[in-house]
Amino acid sequence: QLVESGGGSVQPGGSLTLSCAASGNTGYISSAYCMGWFRRAPGKEREGIAALDLDGVARYADSVKGRFTISQDNSKTTLYLQMNDLKPEDTAMYYCAADKNPRMTAIPDYWGQGTQVTVS
């Protein structure tokens, strides 16, 4: 199970840090799967925004590059997304995901339930 937290409402230019905890049978997966963050804004398609490959390489969508940072704790059971300089267009439901492939794909194997981020 992947459980996101840390969403909320923030003014433009503000910051938020999202967390994703892997628990239960999937508690180990973050060490064997690549992890990442997706988001879906109202009326828009789901967008992959940040991911950590199995070899630790971080990848970002152009829309968030330079503003968002993805990371994991040393135990690799918690994934983070530090979001700075937030913009209204960052408003979306944010989802944590885990993929068995070495690099994140568009259809990960596990999803969290999502956490809402609103920038206004």
Side-chain angles (χ1 to χ4, degrees):
Q1 182 181 6
L2 299 175
V3 180
E4 302 96 334
S5 61
S9 296
V10 64
Q11 293 183 344
S15 298
L16 282 174
T17 300
L18 305 184
S19 299
C20 171
S23 62
N25 292 333
T26 60
Y28 65 91
I29 65 171
S30 54
S31 64
Y33 289 61
C34 64
M35 304 290 293
W37 292 94
F38 290 73
R39 69 184 181 187
R40 174 169 277 169
K44 295 187 177 181
E45 293 186 356
R46 185 176 63 205
E47 175 189 19
I49 56 171
L52 279 175
D53 295 348
L54 272 182
D55 59 5
V57 174
R59 302 181 188 276
Y60 299 94
D62 288 342
S63 58
V64 305
K65 197 173 295 182
R67 300 187 298 122
F68 291 10
T69 303
I70 188 171
S71 63
Q72 282 181 323
D73 66 348
N74 290 336
S75 66
K76 295 187 177 181
T77 57
T78 303
L79 182 73
Y80 301 99
L81 185 68
Q82 173 68 43
M83 305 186 295
N84 297 326
D85 189 24
L86 283 161
K87 304 176 180 181
E89 52 264 41
D90 295 317
T91 295
M93 185 71 79
Y94 284 70
Y95 299 90
C96 173
D99 198 313
K100 65 181 180 182
N101 293 293
R103 290 180 60 174
M104 181 63 67
T105 67
I107 310 176
D109 295 272
Y110 296 96
W111 290 99
Q113 84 288 351
T115 186
Q116 178 68 38
V117 172
T118 301
V119 185
S120 64

